Amino acid sequence: MTAYATPAAKAPFEKTTIQRREVGPKDVLIDIAFAGICHSDIHTAREEWGDAMFPLVPGHEIAGVVSEVGSAVRRYAVGDRVGVGCMVDACRTCDNCRAGLEQYCLEGNVGTYNDTGKDGLPTAGGYSSQIVVDEDFVLRIPDALGLDVAAPLLCAGITMFSPLNHWKAGPGRRVAIVGMGGLGHMGVKLAHAMGAEVTVLSQTLSKQADGLAFGADAYYATSDPATFKRLRGHFDLIVNTVSATLPMAKYLGLLRLDGTMVSVGAPAEPMEVPTFALMNQRRSWAGSGIGGIAETQQMLDFCAEHGLGAEIETIGGDDIDAAWDRVVASDVRYRFVIDTSTF
Ligand code: NAP
Ligand code: ZN
């Protein structure tokens, strides 16, 4: 199978051939059409989160079409439009797995890349032409969604949907999305569709028109100190998608009584939180990781019902290095998606 792999931390991508396991009884072979580029791909491959396994084929926002199924596969047939997100397996028996929270599997789920599968082989992600996945970790992409705009939903979409759901974004609730990149722009669309009052907090106003078009009610620049004065004590929920550390006290000050700030952005460095910023107004600081398989399907169906896809810039396999640099520079509108037909 053709793939794009990075041979070492910070090394350019190379076109290569990889081996995957034979299609087992419960497996689905997927011809990948599109793979989104998530900032996590970059953190991982550049070893910002620790050692990585090389050669590395990243990609956990996968959309394609089933081309073969194992003898015991019940849910999918050849020709079905499907997706794969950040995990390809889990223990399936722990309390969390049984509650549909496979992302919090107590044994640790199996990552779509940079991990070892239960077959003993290194996992390889979506920057490739095909993938073999157990049907239990495959999602159905509704017909209403194009495969290209659906691919980013498998990580960016679910990573925003899950906390918005859990902390009850909806009518009468004031929600802020910090950082309007891949995750953030989906957060704006989803929170708006859920009926919440949505505010974007971005470094500058350069993407304001887009934010309002995605459904934001307000849009402020965090580079302007007046923003933090104006919005003090305003929000019920802040979802922070920023890939770098933030001055937490300033952001926590934007929460009203019982408000929660949820970190989904995953900077390598720790962030300092002054206790007083939490004690005042009984505020909480929480984290959230992707979403379970059932919730991911729920998110895809919600997006189809509300006509929500990602805003994408489609690129070829040879453009990955340049796209990564643009993501790091916050120059992404709003998700790069690799078209595997260019392989
Ligand atoms: P992205 O497209 O690069 O978006 C991040 C946005 O954060 C940027 O577009 C920018 O928005 C803002 N930003 C970047 N650097 C900043 C800085 N120094 N100060 C303030 N704002 C800054 O990345 P992404 O793919 O959405 O991922 C975002 C983060 O979430 C990454 O750390 C990723 O690893 C993590 N993530 C976590 C999960 C999870 O399960 N929790 C899942 C996927 C990704 P503005 O230009 O609007 O300010
Ligand atoms: Zn991701």
PDB file of all heavy atoms in Angstrom, residues 25-26 70-77 135 140:
ATOM      1  N   PRO A  25     -11.372 -11.980   9.936  1.00  0.00           N
ATOM      2  CA  PRO A  25     -12.830 -12.176   9.908  1.00  0.00           C
ATOM      3  C   PRO A  25     -13.639 -10.932  10.281  1.00  0.00           C
ATOM      4  O   PRO A  25     -14.677 -10.666   9.697  1.00  0.00           O
ATOM      5  CB  PRO A  25     -13.057 -13.294  10.936  1.00  0.00           C
ATOM      6  CG  PRO A  25     -11.751 -13.980  11.087  1.00  0.00           C
ATOM      7  CD  PRO A  25     -10.682 -12.996  10.746  1.00  0.00           C
ATOM      8  N   LYS A  26     -13.132 -10.142  11.261  1.00  0.00           N
ATOM      9  CA  LYS A  26     -13.894  -8.970  11.730  1.00  0.00           C
ATOM     10  C   LYS A  26     -13.385  -7.663  11.100  1.00  0.00           C
ATOM     11  O   LYS A  26     -13.792  -6.574  11.505  1.00  0.00           O
ATOM     12  CB  LYS A  26     -13.772  -8.869  13.254  1.00  0.00           C
ATOM     13  CG  LYS A  26     -14.603  -9.885  14.006  1.00  0.00           C
ATOM     14  CD  LYS A  26     -15.929  -9.279  14.475  1.00  0.00           C
ATOM     15  CE  LYS A  26     -15.723  -8.249  15.599  1.00  0.00           C
ATOM     16  NZ  LYS A  26     -16.829  -7.306  15.729  1.00  0.00           N
ATOM     17  N   GLY A  70     -14.235  -8.931   6.023  1.00  0.00           N
ATOM     18  CA  GLY A  70     -13.983 -10.274   6.517  1.00  0.00           C
ATOM     19  C   GLY A  70     -15.280 -11.062   6.641  1.00  0.00           C
ATOM     20  O   GLY A  70     -16.381 -10.491   6.625  1.00  0.00           O
ATOM     21  N   SER A  71     -15.137 -12.384   6.837  1.00  0.00           N
ATOM     22  CA  SER A  71     -16.301 -13.282   6.804  1.00  0.00           C
ATOM     23  C   SER A  71     -17.295 -13.022   7.925  1.00  0.00           C
ATOM     24  O   SER A  71     -18.482 -13.301   7.802  1.00  0.00           O
ATOM     25  CB  SER A  71     -15.808 -14.731   6.883  1.00  0.00           C
ATOM     26  OG  SER A  71     -14.998 -14.883   8.044  1.00  0.00           O
ATOM     27  N   ALA A  72     -16.807 -12.458   9.067  1.00  0.00           N
ATOM     28  CA  ALA A  72     -17.706 -12.252  10.211  1.00  0.00           C
ATOM     29  C   ALA A  72     -18.186 -10.801  10.331  1.00  0.00           C
ATOM     30  O   ALA A  72     -18.852 -10.446  11.302  1.00  0.00           O
ATOM     31  CB  ALA A  72     -16.997 -12.673  11.495  1.00  0.00           C
ATOM     32  N   VAL A  73     -17.844  -9.970   9.368  1.00  0.00           N
ATOM     33  CA  VAL A  73     -18.259  -8.559   9.432  1.00  0.00           C
ATOM     34  C   VAL A  73     -19.757  -8.465   9.203  1.00  0.00           C
ATOM     35  O   VAL A  73     -20.294  -9.050   8.255  1.00  0.00           O
ATOM     36  CB  VAL A  73     -17.475  -7.712   8.400  1.00  0.00           C
ATOM     37  CG1 VAL A  73     -18.099  -6.331   8.229  1.00  0.00           C
ATOM     38  CG2 VAL A  73     -16.015  -7.596   8.837  1.00  0.00           C
ATOM     39  N   ARG A  74     -20.449  -7.771  10.094  1.00  0.00           N
ATOM     40  CA  ARG A  74     -21.905  -7.665  10.018  1.00  0.00           C
ATOM     41  C   ARG A  74     -22.380  -6.278   9.619  1.00  0.00           C
ATOM     42  O   ARG A  74     -23.425  -6.118   9.024  1.00  0.00           O
ATOM     43  CB  ARG A  74     -22.527  -8.021  11.386  1.00  0.00           C
ATOM     44  CG  ARG A  74     -22.359  -9.483  11.768  1.00  0.00           C
ATOM     45  CD  ARG A  74     -23.242 -10.403  10.923  1.00  0.00           C
ATOM     46  NE  ARG A  74     -22.814 -11.792  11.020  1.00  0.00           N
ATOM     47  CZ  ARG A  74     -21.968 -12.369  10.166  1.00  0.00           C
ATOM     48  NH1 ARG A  74     -21.468 -11.703   9.143  1.00  0.00           N
ATOM     49  NH2 ARG A  74     -21.618 -13.647  10.310  1.00  0.00           N
ATOM     50  N   ARG A  75     -21.614  -5.242  10.015  1.00  0.00           N
ATOM     51  CA  ARG A  75     -22.141  -3.883   9.884  1.00  0.00           C
ATOM     52  C   ARG A  75     -21.832  -3.209   8.554  1.00  0.00           C
ATOM     53  O   ARG A  75     -22.493  -2.245   8.197  1.00  0.00           O
ATOM     54  CB  ARG A  75     -21.549  -3.013  10.987  1.00  0.00           C
ATOM     55  CG  ARG A  75     -22.366  -3.099  12.258  1.00  0.00           C
ATOM     56  CD  ARG A  75     -21.856  -2.120  13.268  1.00  0.00           C
ATOM     57  NE  ARG A  75     -21.327  -2.848  14.393  1.00  0.00           N
ATOM     58  CZ  ARG A  75     -20.646  -2.300  15.379  1.00  0.00           C
ATOM     59  NH1 ARG A  75     -20.399  -1.024  15.364  1.00  0.00           N
ATOM     60  NH2 ARG A  75     -20.215  -3.042  16.366  1.00  0.00           N
ATOM     61  N   TYR A  76     -20.828  -3.675   7.860  1.00  0.00           N
ATOM     62  CA  TYR A  76     -20.394  -2.962   6.655  1.00  0.00           C
ATOM     63  C   TYR A  76     -20.311  -3.902   5.466  1.00  0.00           C
ATOM     64  O   TYR A  76     -20.083  -5.112   5.621  1.00  0.00           O
ATOM     65  CB  TYR A  76     -19.029  -2.284   6.889  1.00  0.00           C
ATOM     66  CG  TYR A  76     -19.109  -1.237   7.986  1.00  0.00           C
ATOM     67  CD1 TYR A  76     -18.647  -1.512   9.271  1.00  0.00           C
ATOM     68  CD2 TYR A  76     -19.697   0.007   7.733  1.00  0.00           C
ATOM     69  CE1 TYR A  76     -18.767  -0.566  10.282  1.00  0.00           C
ATOM     70  CE2 TYR A  76     -19.810   0.959   8.739  1.00  0.00           C
ATOM     71  CZ  TYR A  76     -19.340   0.668  10.007  1.00  0.00           C
ATOM     72  OH  TYR A  76     -19.460   1.603  11.005  1.00  0.00           O
ATOM     73  N   ALA A  77     -20.510  -3.300   4.285  1.00  0.00           N
ATOM     74  CA  ALA A  77     -20.421  -4.061   3.037  1.00  0.00           C
ATOM     75  C   ALA A  77     -19.550  -3.292   2.057  1.00  0.00           C
ATOM     76  O   ALA A  77     -19.328  -2.080   2.217  1.00  0.00           O
ATOM     77  CB  ALA A  77     -21.823  -4.256   2.458  1.00  0.00           C
ATOM     78  N   GLU A 135     -14.176  -3.837  12.406  1.00  0.00           N
ATOM     79  CA  GLU A 135     -15.425  -3.109  12.102  1.00  0.00           C
ATOM     80  C   GLU A 135     -15.972  -2.324  13.287  1.00  0.00           C
ATOM     81  O   GLU A 135     -16.677  -1.336  13.108  1.00  0.00           O
ATOM     82  CB  GLU A 135     -16.506  -4.061  11.567  1.00  0.00           C
ATOM     83  CG  GLU A 135     -17.054  -5.044  12.576  1.00  0.00           C
ATOM     84  CD  GLU A 135     -18.380  -5.678  12.116  1.00  0.00           C
ATOM     85  OE1 GLU A 135     -19.099  -5.066  11.313  1.00  0.00           O
ATOM     86  OE2 GLU A 135     -18.675  -6.806  12.570  1.00  0.00           O
ATOM     87  N   ARG A 140     -19.795   5.058  10.113  1.00  0.00           N
ATOM     88  CA  ARG A 140     -20.518   5.224   8.848  1.00  0.00           C
ATOM     89  C   ARG A 140     -20.624   6.712   8.522  1.00  0.00           C
ATOM     90  O   ARG A 140     -21.069   7.490   9.368  1.00  0.00           O
ATOM     91  CB  ARG A 140     -21.913   4.607   8.981  1.00  0.00           C
ATOM     92  CG  ARG A 140     -22.694   4.566   7.696  1.00  0.00           C
ATOM     93  CD  ARG A 140     -23.987   3.783   7.883  1.00  0.00           C
ATOM     94  NE  ARG A 140     -23.758   2.374   8.222  1.00  0.00           N
ATOM     95  CZ  ARG A 140     -23.432   1.427   7.340  1.00  0.00           C
ATOM     96  NH1 ARG A 140     -23.315   1.740   6.065  1.00  0.00           N
ATOM     97  NH2 ARG A 140     -23.247   0.179   7.727  1.00  0.00           N
TER      98      ARG A 140
END
